[in-house]
Amino acid sequence: MPALSDLSFRVDLSSGTIAGAPTMVRKLSDLAGSFADRRALDAALHKGDPTVYSVASVQPADDAGQLHYGLGRLMPGKIGDEYFLTKGHVHRRREAAEVYIGLKGRGLLLLENLETGAAAMLELSQQSVVYVPSATAHRTVNIGSEPLVYIGVYPADAGHDYETIAKENFHHVIVERNGAPALIARKKYLEELNRMREE
Ligand code: F6R
Ligand code: MN
């Protein structure tokens, strides 16, 4: 654990960085398995491979009882009707919860409880805080026109399970419908896409 005097970090909301903290970047090509509309994704990748989001992480100590946090910065954009999103994960230690604090921009958190199958989209914007309970997969989406910036605070021993999500993806998508975000079952959305393309 660093000295007490070294535990304050300066957060830069416009660049999404934290002085002294490592930043991880995910590009559109890293999210190939995340978006529902493969054809729209291929068309977008043909034009380029932009950064979709970054996370600057502060991890002062790793033992149980400690906390880690990450500053996320998710760009605005869409693939087909689906808003730009994070890969999403469930915590490896299923009971580990998390608190998301919105700092800038307009976003939503997609939550899916792995045990009950319940799903919801919750506001994540400046002035909103979302509690992510145990055993709940979570993915951030940007529904605005500027970068969405937020902080997630989670137990140091939570761990990140991306494989469970990679296998089946989330069972819901957040897409734009009549100018507003809608939560739709992935299966139904894919059926709609196929039907539209057969016509
Ligand atoms: C940490 C957490 C967030 C995410 C960030 C990026 O537990 O939930 O800090 O890490 O929103 O999303 P992923 O990790 O899904 O790529
Ligand atoms: Mn998390």
mmCIF file of all heavy atoms in Angstrom, residues 89-91 97-98 100 132 138 154 159-160, ligand 2:
data_model
loop_
_atom_site.group_PDB
_atom_site.id
_atom_site.type_symbol
_atom_site.label_atom_id
_atom_site.label_comp_id
_atom_site.label_asym_id
_atom_site.label_seq_id
_atom_site.Cartn_x
_atom_site.Cartn_y
_atom_site.Cartn_z
ATOM 1 N N HIS A 89 -18.603 -7.460 -18.531
ATOM 2 C CA HIS A 89 -18.101 -8.628 -17.797
ATOM 3 C C HIS A 89 -18.973 -8.878 -16.573
ATOM 4 O O HIS A 89 -19.816 -8.048 -16.217
ATOM 5 C CB HIS A 89 -16.649 -8.380 -17.345
ATOM 6 C CG HIS A 89 -16.518 -7.177 -16.473
ATOM 7 N ND1 HIS A 89 -16.175 -5.937 -16.965
ATOM 8 C CD2 HIS A 89 -16.727 -6.998 -15.140
ATOM 9 C CE1 HIS A 89 -16.161 -5.057 -15.979
ATOM 10 N NE2 HIS A 89 -16.494 -5.681 -14.850
ATOM 11 N N VAL A 90 -18.697 -10.020 -15.950
ATOM 12 C CA VAL A 90 -19.249 -10.285 -14.618
ATOM 13 C C VAL A 90 -18.017 -10.480 -13.743
ATOM 14 O O VAL A 90 -16.959 -10.871 -14.255
ATOM 15 C CB VAL A 90 -20.177 -11.523 -14.662
ATOM 16 C CG1 VAL A 90 -19.432 -12.767 -15.096
ATOM 17 C CG2 VAL A 90 -20.859 -11.760 -13.322
ATOM 18 N N HIS A 91 -18.105 -10.196 -12.470
ATOM 19 C CA HIS A 91 -16.911 -10.353 -11.635
ATOM 20 C C HIS A 91 -16.642 -11.839 -11.389
ATOM 21 O O HIS A 91 -17.558 -12.632 -11.183
ATOM 22 C CB HIS A 91 -17.068 -9.568 -10.328
ATOM 23 C CG HIS A 91 -17.123 -8.083 -10.597
ATOM 24 N ND1 HIS A 91 -17.876 -7.212 -9.861
ATOM 25 C CD2 HIS A 91 -16.507 -7.337 -11.563
ATOM 26 C CE1 HIS A 91 -17.722 -5.987 -10.358
ATOM 27 N NE2 HIS A 91 -16.906 -6.038 -11.398
ATOM 28 N N ALA A 97 -19.707 -6.715 -5.713
ATOM 29 C CA ALA A 97 -20.551 -5.669 -6.291
ATOM 30 C C ALA A 97 -19.667 -4.521 -6.779
ATOM 31 O O ALA A 97 -18.435 -4.594 -6.695
ATOM 32 C CB ALA A 97 -21.542 -5.181 -5.246
ATOM 33 N N GLU A 98 -20.285 -3.481 -7.315
ATOM 34 C CA GLU A 98 -19.529 -2.330 -7.826
ATOM 35 C C GLU A 98 -20.422 -1.094 -7.787
ATOM 36 O O GLU A 98 -21.644 -1.205 -7.881
ATOM 37 C CB GLU A 98 -19.083 -2.613 -9.274
ATOM 38 C CG GLU A 98 -18.293 -1.485 -9.916
ATOM 39 C CD GLU A 98 -17.481 -1.947 -11.131
ATOM 40 O OE1 GLU A 98 -17.535 -3.148 -11.480
ATOM 41 O OE2 GLU A 98 -16.794 -1.092 -11.718
ATOM 42 N N TYR A 100 -20.937 2.532 -9.798
ATOM 43 C CA TYR A 100 -20.601 3.369 -10.955
ATOM 44 C C TYR A 100 -21.062 4.800 -10.672
ATOM 45 O O TYR A 100 -22.197 5.017 -10.261
ATOM 46 C CB TYR A 100 -21.325 2.873 -12.202
ATOM 47 C CG TYR A 100 -20.565 1.840 -13.003
ATOM 48 C CD1 TYR A 100 -20.420 0.535 -12.536
ATOM 49 C CD2 TYR A 100 -20.016 2.173 -14.240
ATOM 50 C CE1 TYR A 100 -19.743 -0.411 -13.283
ATOM 51 C CE2 TYR A 100 -19.343 1.223 -14.993
ATOM 52 C CZ TYR A 100 -19.208 -0.066 -14.509
ATOM 53 O OH TYR A 100 -18.536 -1.003 -15.253
ATOM 54 N N VAL A 132 -24.138 -1.848 -8.876
ATOM 55 C CA VAL A 132 -24.170 -3.117 -9.616
ATOM 56 C C VAL A 132 -24.083 -4.233 -8.584
ATOM 57 O O VAL A 132 -23.043 -4.402 -7.938
ATOM 58 C CB VAL A 132 -22.982 -3.213 -10.599
ATOM 59 C CG1 VAL A 132 -23.007 -4.533 -11.353
ATOM 60 C CG2 VAL A 132 -22.976 -2.034 -11.566
ATOM 61 N N HIS A 138 -22.317 -6.510 -16.403
ATOM 62 C CA HIS A 138 -22.538 -5.086 -16.642
ATOM 63 C C HIS A 138 -21.748 -4.605 -17.841
ATOM 64 O O HIS A 138 -20.605 -4.998 -18.052
ATOM 65 C CB HIS A 138 -22.234 -4.244 -15.401
ATOM 66 C CG HIS A 138 -21.010 -4.633 -14.643
ATOM 67 N ND1 HIS A 138 -20.917 -5.802 -13.904
ATOM 68 C CD2 HIS A 138 -19.806 -4.024 -14.503
ATOM 69 C CE1 HIS A 138 -19.731 -5.882 -13.345
ATOM 70 N NE2 HIS A 138 -19.016 -4.808 -13.706
ATOM 71 N N TYR A 154 -14.691 -1.001 -7.258
ATOM 72 C CA TYR A 154 -15.000 -2.417 -7.043
ATOM 73 C C TYR A 154 -13.971 -3.047 -6.105
ATOM 74 O O TYR A 154 -12.852 -2.543 -5.966
ATOM 75 C CB TYR A 154 -15.031 -3.153 -8.404
ATOM 76 C CG TYR A 154 -13.809 -2.910 -9.261
ATOM 77 C CD1 TYR A 154 -12.762 -3.832 -9.292
ATOM 78 C CD2 TYR A 154 -13.674 -1.746 -10.014
ATOM 79 C CE1 TYR A 154 -11.626 -3.613 -10.064
ATOM 80 C CE2 TYR A 154 -12.535 -1.511 -10.784
ATOM 81 C CZ TYR A 154 -11.520 -2.446 -10.796
ATOM 82 O OH TYR A 154 -10.398 -2.197 -11.548
ATOM 83 N N GLY A 159 -11.959 -9.516 -9.583
ATOM 84 C CA GLY A 159 -11.577 -10.248 -10.795
ATOM 85 C C GLY A 159 -12.558 -9.962 -11.921
ATOM 86 O O GLY A 159 -13.704 -9.567 -11.681
ATOM 87 N N HIS A 160 -12.101 -10.129 -13.165
ATOM 88 C CA HIS A 160 -12.960 -9.827 -14.314
ATOM 89 C C HIS A 160 -13.114 -11.044 -15.200
ATOM 90 O O HIS A 160 -12.140 -11.556 -15.733
ATOM 91 C CB HIS A 160 -12.386 -8.641 -15.099
ATOM 92 C CG HIS A 160 -12.457 -7.363 -14.326
ATOM 93 N ND1 HIS A 160 -11.519 -7.008 -13.390
ATOM 94 C CD2 HIS A 160 -13.396 -6.392 -14.318
ATOM 95 C CE1 HIS A 160 -11.873 -5.860 -12.835
ATOM 96 N NE2 HIS A 160 -13.007 -5.455 -13.387
HETATM 97 MN MN MN B 2 -17.016 -4.453 -13.046
#
